[in-house]
Amino acid sequence: MNEQPELKFPTSEDLISQIQFDHENGKIWLDEQRMLLIHSAVMGSLRKELVASLGVERARGFLMRFGYQSGMKDAELAHKIRPEISTAEAFLVGPQLHCIKGMVNVEPIALEFDVENKEFYAEFNWHDSYEAEVHINEFGVSEDPICWTLIGYASGFSTYYMGHKVIFKEMQCAGSGAEHCKIVGKTAEEWEDQEDLERCLLPDPIVEELFALRYEISTLRENLVDSRSPSDTLLFNSVGQSKAFKHVCHLIQRASSSSVTVLLQGETGVGKEVVARGLHQTSERSEQAFIAVNCACIPPDLIEAELFGVRKGAYTGATHSREGKFERANNGTIFLDEVIELSPRAQAALLRVLQEDEMERVGDNQVRKINVRVVAATNEDLAVAVKEGRFRADLYYRLNVFPVNIPPLRDRVDDIPLLIEHFLEKYHSMYNKKTLGVSDKALQSLIHYKWPGNIRELENMIERGIILTDNNRSIDMKSFFPSLAEPSHPLNIVKGTGELCSLNDAALIAEGNTIDQLLSNDFDLNNFEQQLIERAMDKSSGNVTQAARLLGITRPQMAYRLKK
Ligand SMILES: [Zn+2]
């Protein structure tokens, strides 16, 4: 062991001479490393913000790792400037640089180490720690030691220097009321709480925790949906009298008796998930899990892990192994909405499930057998996506074994009254309300509306209508279409009588219709003109020329009206 009875710093000249201020080029150098001169108070602000946004524990880890990196860089320099690394003089480069950088005044107490045999013990007193000062300024006196960047530095320096994990611990700290800070360093395995100490030095991305929380929420949500599912099954089984929908039901009943992969095609909002759930409920798998995934809602680089699970350490941030949706759906049904959004890797993995009934978690090579019925859905034409090279042809053929086209709502208008009844019941009970239902005129317009958003749009409208309508009142047209005054609103093609004209005539009639509507209320031309002008100015962000163009008048005319 290398023992110094009397520990003193050697001269710092060799270190200080490494510092170069190259102000003409905007640089400060320490040997060949670019350095910064930063206000210590700014470090205080950074610390405050970190604690506020990450909490004390995470901020502590973050700042310790920050110091750790800095210590490693300086150890690199120590080896270069004082290459006799078995001498205390060489090791003391670290504590001396800590002083030179103005971070803390280090007083060496004990230092014994043997690089070859990986033995290490050190004690230092720290006086006037910058970190204790800024911490007390921002937070007051702390209960625990708080020289996080400094202690990180000591550990990083010593670990790099020794080529072996060394951990320093602050035994007392000026930030928690001691006269000065005191630190002790030992090899990691000599600390009883080695694991806790080392954990602080590991990256701890908050993003992983967010994913875990999101996973939890989606599980809770799925359970919630499960408890609601009887009504959805009802929806599927009974709310469909139209020929178009009966045909869908017939196909689904056929499919439910086998485990065939089903591809649901249809516009957005036609109720593909409800159909998938209906398929699951009427199949032999109904007692098992039904897992719905909207592939468009998951970032492409995460989708594989989300679907197939991940092994701890598979990528930065994967700090826990976890199962994916497929494993959770085992023996049940998985519903993959917007399947066209799957990344190429996820497409390959899905193909493997369909062909071999097996899968692997991301970063894992354990093959897992899996028994899942896949119901995929898309509102785009998959065949076109295959032609354009966006979707694997072999996967398309596997998915397209049993295609079912779900008709848009406008092709099953016979079902609209039944659907309305269904949603009225659902939202009356959800909001604990009882309206008298939809007024005749409103019903007329709902039946004739073109429903670009299909059943989902209808459901949203009924919900909104119930919210806006008092108990024992009928839901009127305005509650369904609050933005009726918007000239661009599709329902402006509804005539005053509640009938709709064809879309082609709509543009022609819209003009006359708007005027009729205007004149039927308390109309004020000046007020109307003022509103128009304000609106045009808003739309053109205050640009008078552009606003004038919107209104079809000249700039001087516009300026005159504005003045008025
Ligand atoms: Zn301290």
Side-chain angles (χ1 to χ4, degrees), residues 314 471 499:
N471 281 325
E499 293 166 74

Side-chain angles (χ1 to χ4, degrees), residues 126 129 132 145-147 150 170 172-176 180-182:
W126 279 348
S129 145
I146 45 71
C147 293
L150 298 182
E170 211 177 357
Q172 62 176 55
C173 178
S176 52
H180 60 78
C181 312
K182 180 183 183 63

Side-chain angles (χ1 to χ4, degrees), residues 14-15 18 30-31 76-84 93:
D14 56 343
L15 301 176
Q18 303 299 323
L30 177 63
D31 184 49
E76 207 181 318
L77 187 66
H79 286 339
K80 197 169 158 187
I81 294 179
R82 298 183 188 163
E84 297 286 323
V93 166

